[in-house]
Amino acid sequence: MPTYRLTVRYDGTDFCGWQRQKNGPSIQEALEDALGKVAKQPVICRGAGRTDAGVHALAQVVSIELPRVLPDKALVYGVNNHLPDSIAVMDAQLVEDDFDARHSSSGKLYRYQIWTGKIRSPLHTRNHWHVGHPLDLDKMRQAAAVLVGRHDFRAFRAADCERQTTVRWMKRIEVTVPPSDPEVIHIEVEGTAFLKHMVRILSGTIVAAGRGKLTTEAIAELLQSGDRSKAGQTAPALGLVLVRVDYGRREGP
Amino acid sequence: MPTYRLTVRYDGTDFCGWQRQKNGPSIQEALEDALGKVAKQPVICRGAGRTDAGVHALAQVVSIELPRVLPDKALVYGVNNHLPDSIAVMDAQLVEDDFDARHSSSGKLYRYQIWTGKIRSPLHTRNHWHVGHPLDLDKMRQAAAVLVGRHDFRAFRAADCERQTTVRWMKRIEVTVPPSDPEVIHIEVEGTAFLKHMVRILSGTIVAAGRGKLTTEAIAELLQSGDRSKAGQTAPALGLVLVRVDYGRREGP
């Protein structure tokens, strides 16, 4: 059956996350419903990243199989007609049959967004964590420098994460201030694969460093000990954006 | 009575505009209700700009009189406690008694935001106009260059605008692409005063130029003739943001 690679953008505020669940509307469900109407038969979506409730995506990648070949444009516009304003298929491409959005992926880029103003900002509420304390950029960058690279990240995962191997490679962790919005901080995290809640715990840890609550020594120690209780809090889901999913040859250190 | 100058930020999506109205919730009403709770008596708000339904503000300026002096911080945090997430007082300052947010203002900066992608973008829906047609930046800039300056803008106002004088000074009209978001176009309009719907009609006209539907000659002619029917459409309210209100000596050409 023809396989398509869809690029999907969403505002995750009103959803219980990517994955279909019983307790609320999911992105997957909305997308499968819309695709089903266009394909006129049930369609199953495979997402590259299982984003949590409230997490957003600039470019989630989704693989689907359709009963027949459809022109890319017809597919995009047709499906978008059946989706709410908060979800859209930005692009569709016919790909090799063996393409799987999740397993073919060679890496992902996430961005964690922080509003640093003292007062909450109504134009940032939906997709920025309002920390409400001063953050020291240098300390955040020093923390990021300790965390980047290939490490055992077992201290940086949700309690119910069941992965056997907890070594992951973070290719880049960068702390930046967008010139157009100087009261915002972005933490960009690029890696080959992630554990459950990993980017949110990394971000919470970098924020704790920026507040002077965790030294770089403590963070290095944390990577050694693997003690989750000593890492930063899990940063709120609403600040997280899945920016890009990469495909291609897998690199590794 | 002590007079305060408040800086107020809001996401206008769910409001019928700045001004108190019978047909829906207004920013003014929400703010007056919250201030009334803190001041323990009714408070009247004067806004610098009467933003339309759906228009946002990064920094609307509001003047109020309070029965007694309150510490700025207590005022800000107290009022924000009673406001919905979509509105916040970002700053409060005790000012001279004769300060009036509207009449003391010497100018305003508005930004009109456009999403230029072919497909609608769920992360831009709330505050960008999705034009859905290719826009020529050079043509938009040429149109802006014709409109900037001191002109009779009677072709650029709502049908029910009752102002006697229609000459206004646009100090700057700039068309830019934010480097962080290359599929977005901003039209920044800075002027001493505006007619009803003026920034939205200016933006609609600049977009029409960008689509090749209005030449710079036609726009120059429009300023001469004052014929509203020949200007561009009134751009949708949701793309407009009141960025800044200026106070100080009034300049003029």
Side-chain angles (χ1 to χ4, degrees):
Chain A
M1 297 218 293
T3 300
Y4 283 85
R5 167 183 164 163
L6 309 180
T7 305
V8 181
R9 181 171 290 194
Y10 46 85
D11 180 318
T13 308
D14 300 327
F15 296 91
C16 68
W18 161 259
Q19 206 160 14
R20 193 181 268 273
Q21 283 182 38
K22 280 179 187 154
N23 65 352
S26 64
I27 311 288
Q28 186 184 13
E29 186 184 346
L31 204 53
E32 289 180 347
D33 286 356
L35 282 159
K37 282 175 190 151
V38 171
K40 298 193 172 65
Q41 71 174 58
V43 175
I44 290 168
C45 288
R46 301 262 305 161
R50 288 184 197 160
T51 56
D52 300 326
V55 172
H56 316 287
L58 259 172
Q60 165 80 288
V61 175
V62 175
S63 49
I64 55 166
E65 292 185 344
L66 289 185
R68 61 189 184 286
V69 172
L70 278 177
D72 306 349
K73 274 198 180 171
L75 184 55
V76 171
Y77 289 96
V79 174
N80 284 342
N81 264 338
H82 297 291
L83 284 170
D85 281 354
S86 44
I87 311 177
V89 175
M90 307 303 281
D91 184 58
Q93 276 177 37
L94 189 62
V95 289
E96 300 288 315
D97 279 1
D98 63 351
F99 178 80
D100 176 290
R102 189 170 178 84
H103 291 133
S104 311
S105 156
S106 57
K108 284 193 210 88
L109 169 62
Y110 283 97
R111 184 170 65 221
Y112 196 88
Q113 306 184 151
I114 297 162
W115 166 248
T116 68
K118 283 188 94 159
I119 315 293
R120 62 180 172 78
S121 168
L123 296 174
H124 296 83
T125 347
R126 292 172 80 85
N127 46 21
H128 291 73
W129 179 19
H130 179 211
V131 172
H133 296 278
L135 293 174
D136 181 321
L137 266 181
D138 285 338
K139 287 183 178 163
M140 293 176 77
R141 285 175 178 147
Q142 284 156 17
V146 174
L147 292 163
V148 80
R150 196 172 181 276
H151 302 287
D152 185 337
F153 283 103
R154 68 190 187 283
F156 295 84
R157 60 170 178 163
D160 63 346
C161 173
E162 286 167 351
R163 295 278 156 174
Q164 296 280 318
T165 57
T166 50
V167 173
R168 294 292 183 273
W169 181 33
M170 296 298 106
K171 294 158 75 171
R172 184 169 68 89
I173 305 181
E174 217 164 326
V175 179
T176 57
V177 175
S180 56
D181 211 348
E183 287 184 282
V184 163
I185 293 178
H186 288 167
I187 303 174
E188 291 205 332
V189 183
E190 198 174 340
T192 49
F194 299 87
L195 299 163
K196 189 173 177 185
H197 290 183
M198 181 167 165
V199 182
R200 291 168 57 191
I201 302 172
L202 286 171
S203 300
T205 302
I206 292 169
V207 164
R211 289 183 60 185
K213 299 204 150 194
L214 271 178
T215 61
T216 48
E217 293 73 26
I219 295 171
E221 165 61 23
L222 189 58
L223 285 172
Q224 289 296 320
S225 70
D227 185 351
R228 168 72 188 94
S229 70
K230 299 216 169 101
Q233 71 173 101
T234 306
L238 88 180
L240 189 59
V241 183
L242 171 54
V243 174
R244 200 182 68 213
V245 185
D246 295 322
Y247 295 90
R249 212 169 62 82
R250 242 164 268 203
E251 310 158 76
Chain B
M1 299 217 291
T3 300
Y4 283 86
R5 167 182 163 163
L6 309 179
T7 306
V8 181
R9 183 172 289 193
Y10 47 84
D11 180 318
T13 309
D14 300 328
F15 296 91
C16 68
W18 161 259
Q19 205 161 14
R20 194 181 267 273
Q21 281 182 41
K22 281 178 187 154
N23 64 352
S26 64
I27 311 289
Q28 185 183 14
E29 185 184 347
L31 203 52
E32 289 180 347
D33 286 356
L35 282 159
K37 282 174 190 152
V38 172
K40 298 192 173 65
Q41 71 174 59
V43 174
I44 289 168
C45 288
R46 302 259 308 159
R50 289 184 198 160
T51 55
D52 300 325
V55 172
H56 317 286
L58 259 172
Q60 164 81 286
V61 176
V62 175
S63 49
I64 55 165
E65 292 184 345
L66 289 185
R68 62 191 182 284
V69 171
L70 278 176
D72 305 350
K73 272 198 182 174
L75 184 56
V76 170
Y77 288 96
V79 174
N80 285 342
N81 265 337
H82 297 290
L83 284 171
D85 281 354
S86 44
I87 310 178
V89 175
M90 308 303 282
D91 185 58
Q93 278 178 36
L94 189 63
V95 289
E96 300 288 316
D97 279 2
D98 63 351
F99 178 80
D100 176 290
R102 189 172 177 83
H103 292 132
S104 310
S105 157
S106 58
K108 284 194 209 88
L109 169 62
Y110 283 98
R111 184 171 65 222
Y112 196 87
Q113 306 182 151
I114 297 161
W115 166 249
T116 68
K118 283 189 93 158
I119 313 293
R120 63 182 172 76
S121 168
L123 296 173
H124 295 81
T125 345
R126 291 173 81 86
N127 47 21
H128 291 73
W129 178 20
H130 180 211
V131 172
H133 296 277
L135 292 174
D136 181 322
L137 267 179
D138 285 338
K139 286 184 179 161
M140 293 176 77
R141 285 173 179 148
Q142 286 156 17
V146 174
L147 292 164
V148 79
R150 194 172 184 275
H151 302 287
D152 185 337
F153 283 102
R154 67 192 189 282
F156 295 84
R157 60 171 178 163
D160 63 346
C161 174
E162 286 166 352
R163 296 279 155 174
Q164 296 280 318
T165 57
T166 49
V167 173
R168 294 291 183 274
W169 182 34
M170 295 300 107
K171 294 159 74 171
R172 185 169 68 89
I173 305 181
E174 218 163 325
V175 179
T176 58
V177 175
S180 57
D181 210 349
E183 286 184 283
V184 162
I185 293 177
H186 288 168
I187 303 174
E188 291 205 331
V189 183
E190 198 175 342
T192 49
F194 298 87
L195 299 163
K196 188 171 178 185
H197 289 182
M198 183 167 164
V199 182
R200 292 168 56 191
I201 302 172
L202 285 172
S203 300
T205 301
I206 292 169
V207 164
R211 288 182 61 184
K213 297 201 151 195
L214 271 178
T215 62
T216 48
E217 292 73 27
I219 295 171
E221 165 62 24
L222 189 56
L223 285 171
Q224 289 297 322
S225 70
D227 184 352
R228 169 70 188 99
S229 69
K230 299 219 169 98
Q233 70 174 102
T234 306
L238 87 179
L240 188 60
V241 183
L242 171 54
V243 174
R244 201 183 69 213
V245 185
D246 295 322
Y247 295 90
R249 211 169 62 84
R250 239 164 270 201
E251 310 158 75

